[in-house]
Amino acid sequence: MSNIELNQAQETTLSRDFTTLTRHVLSQSGDFSADAYDLSLLMGRIALAGKMIARELSQAGLAADALGVTGEINVQGEAVKKMDQYANRVFIRAFEQSGLVCRLASEEMEKPYYIPENCPIGRYTLLFDPIDGSGNIDTNLAVGTIFSIRQQQGIDETGEALDLLQSGHQQVGAGYVLYGSSTMFVYSIGKGVHAFTLDPSLGEFILSSENIRIPDHGSTYSINEGNFWQWDEGMREYIRHVHKQPGYSARYSGALVADIHRILFQGGVFLYPGSQGHPDGKLRLLYESAPLAYLITQAGGKATTGTEAILDVIPDRLHARTPLIIGSTKDVDLVLSFLQTRANG
Ligand code: F6P
């Protein structure tokens, strides 16, 4: 050991602490090209937005105007929570004058939001769900932010964003921030899935798990069984089947990000099927299902609507919904076997 080195344990801690999110994205890109720097800066801005949202959430119970609803109804027909509105605004402000993202599209906005000063050089569109699981906010339970990055294809004068109506294979990156007992940032740019934990003392996301592989099978299934009688018979049969299997547990948090995070590390399956009156289910393809399908597929898992891979689905509109069955390959295949048996009569 030279006299400028520390002992082994100290050097290991330093290496870990310096593996920050932006450095990791840069190293993943494999070169120090302008593209690599752009993606790394972009991910850094998402992380900054995540940290601001985490800070607001951590004090929401004390702030005069942070909890509850705004009184407005969003484009999805849902009551807008004050935190939804705040988090959406944080993302817009995070990308103003960044030169990175020309357009933002979110579950909370009817049409994409342009940042004209960025458009001459900003080649990306960022799609996001600012607060996923916002029903959990008022009771201090886990929530998340989901994001998806797509290459911008020209300026669209109509504001209809028709270039976004393409499959999930067009994503160049995706991930989520989980606001749980710690704040975590999980991302992929097509080279594995990596998780970072916010170190509040440094204000940095530090690498905590690299190249995560989802187990082939897990012992939990995650579905809102309150909707049991609204599903097709194939889905009901699958649930009856797991009820009879020893060793299965039901886990459903009310926040998709939290359930997916557990499944990513421990295996299992999350389901939000279509139901009577809502054949496409509840979850939005561009802001929820496609980015999470991108991540889970990168980790070796599977995501389907029940008839088609989520990443193959081409939406017919910006806020299109899809049924979602996602998680460990064997568990998703088991669900599919019940759906297909029923479909084949
Ligand atoms: O809109 C998204 C979401 O809040 C998910 O985070 C969650 O998994 C789901 O909806 C919960 O919906 P429900 O209350 O119908 O089970």
Side-chain angles (χ1 to χ4, degrees), residues 137-173:
I137 293 173
D138 292 350
T139 47
N140 194 27
L141 297 171
V143 292
T145 294
I146 307 173
F147 63 88
S148 159
I149 305 164
R150 292 185 184 229
Q151 203 91 45
Q152 174 110 9
Q153 295 177 356
I155 299 274
D156 102 89
E157 307 289 344
T158 62
E160 297 299 323
L162 296 178
D163 64 302
L164 290 176
L165 305 186
Q166 296 193 52
S167 80
H169 296 290
Q170 298 295 324
Q171 296 173 106
V172 295

Side-chain angles (χ1 to χ4, degrees), residues 46-56 177 179 198 203-205:
I46 298 171
L48 176 60
K51 284 186 262 187
M52 292 178 75
I53 295 166
R55 185 180 63 182
E56 188 76 3
V177 188
Y179 311 103
L198 181 63
E204 285 280 0
F205 283 106

Side-chain angles (χ1 to χ4, degrees), residues 19-318:
T19 311
T20 57
L21 175 66
T22 45
R23 180 189 270 203
H24 194 265
V25 178
L26 203 52
S27 71
Q28 281 272 300
S29 306
D31 55 24
F32 292 94
S33 63
D35 281 358
Y37 272 103
D38 269 6
L39 263 189
S40 144
L41 284 172
L42 205 162
M43 220 57 92
R45 293 310 276 186
I46 298 171
L48 176 60
K51 284 186 262 187
M52 292 178 75
I53 295 166
R55 185 180 63 182
E56 188 76 3
L57 284 168
S58 72
Q59 297 163 9
L62 301 173
D65 217 17
L67 298 178
V69 293
T70 64
E72 290 159 49
I73 301 292
N74 69 11
V75 58
Q76 320 290 340
E78 295 161 351
V80 178
K81 297 257 179 191
K82 289 177 185 162
M83 275 304 303
D84 286 326
Q85 197 177 50
Y86 173 79
N88 194 66
R89 192 73 194 136
V90 165
F91 267 84
I92 291 173
R93 297 305 298 267
F95 283 97
E96 278 170 356
Q97 281 154 11
S98 66
L100 293 166
V101 160
C102 169
R103 184 176 59 179
L104 296 161
S106 120
E107 211 183 273
E108 296 299 325
M109 302 188 287
E110 192 178 347
K111 292 202 166 174
Y113 181 96
Y114 277 85
I115 308 179
E117 72 266 20
N118 290 347
C119 291
I121 50 168
R123 288 164 296 135
Y124 298 104
T125 292
L126 180 71
L127 299 104
F128 62 107
D129 178 1
I131 302 273
D132 167 66
S134 54
N136 280 358
I137 293 173
D138 292 350
T139 47
N140 194 27
L141 297 171
V143 292
T145 294
I146 307 173
F147 63 88
S148 159
I149 305 164
R150 292 185 184 229
Q151 203 91 45
Q152 174 110 9
Q153 295 177 356
I155 299 274
D156 102 89
E157 307 289 344
T158 62
E160 297 299 323
L162 296 178
D163 64 302
L164 290 176
L165 305 186
Q166 296 193 52
S167 80
H169 296 290
Q170 298 295 324
Q171 296 173 106
V172 295
Y176 59 78
V177 188
L178 171 63
Y179 311 103
S181 42
S182 60
T183 300
M184 291 192 70
F185 191 106
V186 178
Y187 88 97
S188 177
I189 50 170
K191 294 181 180 169
V193 178
H194 317 289
F196 294 72
T197 302
L198 181 63
D199 178 337
S201 64
L202 292 173
E204 285 280 0
F205 283 106
I206 305 294
L207 180 66
S208 43
S209 306
E210 199 170 25
N211 290 318
I212 303 161
R213 301 300 293 170
I214 182 172
D216 275 354
H217 163 67
S219 58
T220 61
Y221 68 100
S222 191
I223 190 168
N224 183 344
E225 288 197 54
N227 296 330
F228 187 86
W229 290 107
Q230 314 299 318
W231 303 325
D232 288 349
E233 189 50 30
M235 187 55 70
R236 291 203 288 262
E237 275 175 16
Y238 164 73
I239 295 296
R240 287 190 193 104
H241 169 81
V242 289
H243 284 174
K244 287 186 226 142
Q245 300 304 305
Y248 265 101
S249 295
R251 292 281 183 277
Y252 191 74
S253 72
L256 175 61
V257 166
D259 288 319
I260 291 293
H261 190 72
R262 187 192 55 253
I263 289 169
L264 176 64
F265 282 88
Q266 298 179 351
V269 61
F270 177 96
L271 311 98
Y272 208 110
S275 56
Q276 283 167 24
H278 301 284
D280 294 329
K282 176 179 187 188
L283 303 174
R284 270 58 48 141
L285 179 67
L286 288 173
Y287 317 106
E288 295 173 307
S289 306
L292 295 177
Y294 181 91
L295 274 188
I296 290 292
T297 307
Q298 273 291 316
K302 194 164 176 175
T304 168
T305 63
T307 54
E308 190 180 5
I310 289 284
L311 289 178
D312 290 342
V313 178
I314 298 175
D316 58 0
R317 57 190 185 285
L318 208 50

